[in-house]
Amino acid sequence: YLDSIDRKNNKLKFGKLLFGYTHANSWKRTSYTVESPINTIQFNTVQGTNVHLGLGYDKAFDKERNRRLSLKTKVNYGFSEEKFRASGELNYHFDPKHFARLTLSGGRETAQFFEANPISTLINTSYSLFFRENHFRLCDKTFVRGEFRREISNGLLFFAIGQWARRAPLVNHSDYSFFHRDDREYEPNVPENDRIGDGELSQSEAMSVGLSLRIRLKQKYLDYPDAKYIMGSKFPDIWVHYRGGVPLGNATADYGRVSAVLSKSDIALGLGGVSSFRLEAGKFLYDKQLYFQDFKHFLGNETNIGNPEQYLSGFKRLPYYTYSTRNAWLEGHWEHNFKGFLTDKLPLVKKLGWSLVAGAAFLYTSEEKDYTELSLGLDNIGFGVARLFRFDVVSSFKKGKYDGTGWLIGIRLPTGEISL
């Protein structure tokens, strides 16, 4: 009987570890997390099948969790590459009245050339295994990174990022897929861009600094003794960014670029719905030594899956790295959600609760000239409160000429706050 109990307990423990497990102590305001290995099995052509084990610790210092500390570690192993990599991150939220946060991270990992990760691991895994299309472009990255955020005064939010990184090229180690083995070939792990110079994809070290300031005029808020709650502003947000490489020791990247962003979401237009827009302009001040990771990249998409939360900062049909630039750029996005203004007049569609969405996006670089997208779609697709989906038809134009039309299924997923 005791042996059977032990076997049962061992099975339960194994099951918790296999599917992920979180142990929380509400009295001490702590929790420990083991990520599910099943959910972290991935595939890419560089590493082949790879899996990571993630461990986490969280400690809150007050009941509202306004002050808290979190630790995360991740160990990754690629079976075809036969290599381990490990990284960790510490987040400390403090001074909640000023939204202060300190983040320290470091280790070794495979990283996309564009730090904003234009394609998710899940989508890349699916397209690789089912369609034999590898959209990841990865480099080996050993790094130490620090980030700091704090509101200086009401509506004035400051970000600072400092990072040392050693970047090294990687090659494909696997050509496995479920289908299309005889009629398709995987592409090399090299970004497609005609302006990559000699040595700009080779191993490099970079000491980079990023500074950002968000200006929100007449920001409304609720003030409490231990916290502050933002109520928004009727004025657009203004962002000012600087990103530069500082030559120091073996770090040879030496460049500087500036940009400015003007954005506003959910501009109410009465019964006609709401509009949102984002405009960005920037240029490199100098580029004495530049590597491809340091180019200005744009959020593109070469699949039929998108994230609507990124549509105001990214494109639906733009190639991932073709338009990456080392010069000046101008980027614009606009979207209007009719909020039932038109669809409510159609009896069957009205019951579904869908809304019509129109959008446009524009990009200009001195090398590739102009690129434009026009889209029309249906949002709020789903059932009950789970309305996470959206469907768009998108037409693109290059240098004023029609380039093609495609479709996109949007699935809402969380995104980061800022990309420098």
Side-chain angles (χ1 to χ4, degrees):
Y1 173 77
L2 293 177
D3 288 342
S4 65
I5 293 294
D6 289 339
R7 287 195 298 269
K8 184 177 181 180
N9 288 336
N10 288 335
K11 288 180 180 178
L12 289 173
K13 291 178 181 178
F14 177 75
K16 288 179 179 179
L17 291 176
L18 189 62
F19 294 100
Y21 176 68
T22 297
H23 173 75
N25 187 319
S26 58
W27 292 101
K28 295 183 178 180
R29 303 190 187 99
T30 60
S31 63
Y32 301 86
T33 302
V34 179
E35 289 188 41
S36 166
I38 292 178
N39 294 332
T40 57
I41 297 175
Q42 305 161 359
F43 176 86
N44 61 67
T45 55
V46 170
Q47 297 176 285
T49 300
N50 64 96
V51 61
H52 77 255
L53 174 63
L55 303 175
Y57 168 78
D58 189 85
K59 168 67 176 178
F61 300 99
D62 60 282
K63 293 181 179 179
E64 291 75 22
R65 298 181 59 83
N66 290 322
R67 294 193 305 113
R68 63 187 187 274
L69 175 72
S70 63
L71 296 170
K72 297 179 182 179
T73 62
K74 183 175 73 173
V75 179
N76 176 273
Y77 180 75
F79 288 92
S80 295
E81 191 188 23
E82 299 181 347
K83 186 171 292 185
F84 279 101
R85 293 179 175 87
S87 60
E89 180 179 287
L90 179 149
N91 276 286
Y92 180 45
H93 293 253
F94 62 101
D95 191 5
K97 291 181 71 70
H98 295 94
F99 309 103
R101 184 180 68 192
L102 176 66
T103 301
L104 300 175
S105 58
R108 186 181 184 185
E109 61 186 21
T110 54
Q112 297 188 52
F113 281 86
F114 184 15
E115 293 179 350
N117 297 326
I119 181 170
S120 72
T121 54
L122 177 60
I123 294 176
N124 184 74
T125 295
S126 302
Y127 267 77
S128 296
L129 294 178
F130 290 96
F131 305 107
R132 204 173 174 82
E133 297 178 10
N134 57 319
H135 295 290
F136 262 1
R137 295 296 181 264
L138 300 173
C139 63
D140 184 89
K141 180 180 174 183
T142 303
F143 71 102
V144 178
R145 181 182 177 99
E147 304 176 32
F148 175 74
R149 178 190 74 180
R150 189 182 188 277
E151 187 178 56
I152 301 173
S153 63
N154 184 49
L156 201 61
L157 191 62
F158 173 73
F159 289 81
I161 297 175
Q163 175 180 267
W164 169 87
R166 178 186 295 118
R167 296 87 57 99
L170 294 170
V171 298
N172 291 338
H173 290 88
S174 175
D175 65 350
Y176 180 78
S177 66
F178 296 153
F179 309 106
H180 301 290
R181 298 186 188 182
D182 298 327
D183 59 321
R184 293 181 186 174
E185 293 292 334
Y186 279 124
E187 296 178 350
N189 182 48
V190 179
E192 295 182 6
N193 188 292
D194 295 335
R195 290 162 300 285
I196 300 176
D198 294 338
E200 291 182 349
L201 286 176
S202 60
Q203 179 169 309
S204 63
E205 290 188 24
M207 184 74 72
S208 56
V209 176
L211 302 173
S212 292
L213 192 64
R214 189 201 67 192
I215 305 167
R216 183 177 290 169
L217 300 175
K218 295 187 177 181
Q219 175 178 267
K220 296 180 181 179
Y221 63 95
L222 298 176
D223 194 13
Y224 288 84
D226 56 352
K228 178 180 178 180
Y229 298 93
I230 302 301
M231 305 299 293
S233 169
K234 64 180 180 180
F235 295 96
D237 286 349
I238 302 171
W239 286 90
V240 180
H241 299 299
Y242 171 82
R243 181 71 178 261
V246 182
L248 185 65
N250 294 326
T252 54
D254 188 4
Y255 68 95
R257 73 172 192 243
V258 294
S259 60
V261 178
L262 184 69
S263 65
K264 179 64 176 172
S265 298
D266 299 330
I267 304 171
L269 299 176
L271 297 177
V274 296
S275 278
S276 303
F277 72 90
R278 181 180 183 274
L279 300 172
E280 179 178 353
K283 66 173 297 183
F284 278 80
L285 302 175
Y286 62 95
D287 60 345
K288 295 181 180 179
Q289 180 62 62
L290 201 64
Y291 299 93
F292 189 66
Q293 290 92 337
D294 308 314
F295 279 41
K296 169 60 181 177
H297 304 290
F298 305 96
L299 280 175
N301 190 1
E302 297 181 54
T303 74
N304 294 110
I305 306 295
N307 183 356
E309 300 300 323
Q310 294 181 328
Y311 287 174
L312 271 182
S313 58
F315 297 85
K316 302 178 179 71
R317 283 175 52 87
L318 184 77
Y320 291 114
Y321 293 105
T322 301
Y323 283 76
S324 298
T325 182
R326 61 197 308 156
N327 292 306
W329 70 91
L330 178 64
E331 179 181 0
H333 303 267
W334 168 82
E335 194 169 87
H336 182 78
N337 191 322
F338 289 89
K339 293 289 184 180
F341 178 70
L342 297 177
T343 52
D344 282 356
K345 294 176 173 57
L346 304 174
L348 294 178
V349 178
K350 178 180 179 179
K351 293 183 178 180
L352 295 173
W354 297 351
S355 58
L356 190 68
V357 183
F362 175 81
L363 175 64
Y364 182 90
T365 66
S366 57
E367 301 94 345
E368 292 291 334
K369 307 307 178 184
D370 55 287
Y371 172 87
T372 306
E373 289 180 350
L374 300 175
S375 64
L376 192 65
L378 290 171
D379 198 3
N380 207 38
I381 300 174
F383 301 94
V385 296
R387 294 183 174 273
L388 306 176
F389 301 97
R390 171 172 160 175
F391 179 82
D392 286 87
V393 175
V394 189
S395 294
S396 57
F397 304 82
K398 294 181 179 179
K399 299 179 182 178
K401 297 182 180 180
Y402 175 71
D403 179 57
T405 298
W407 55 271
L408 197 66
I409 296 176
I411 306 173
R412 282 185 168 78
L413 299 171
T415 60
E417 295 178 347
I418 182 175
S419 172
L420 295 181

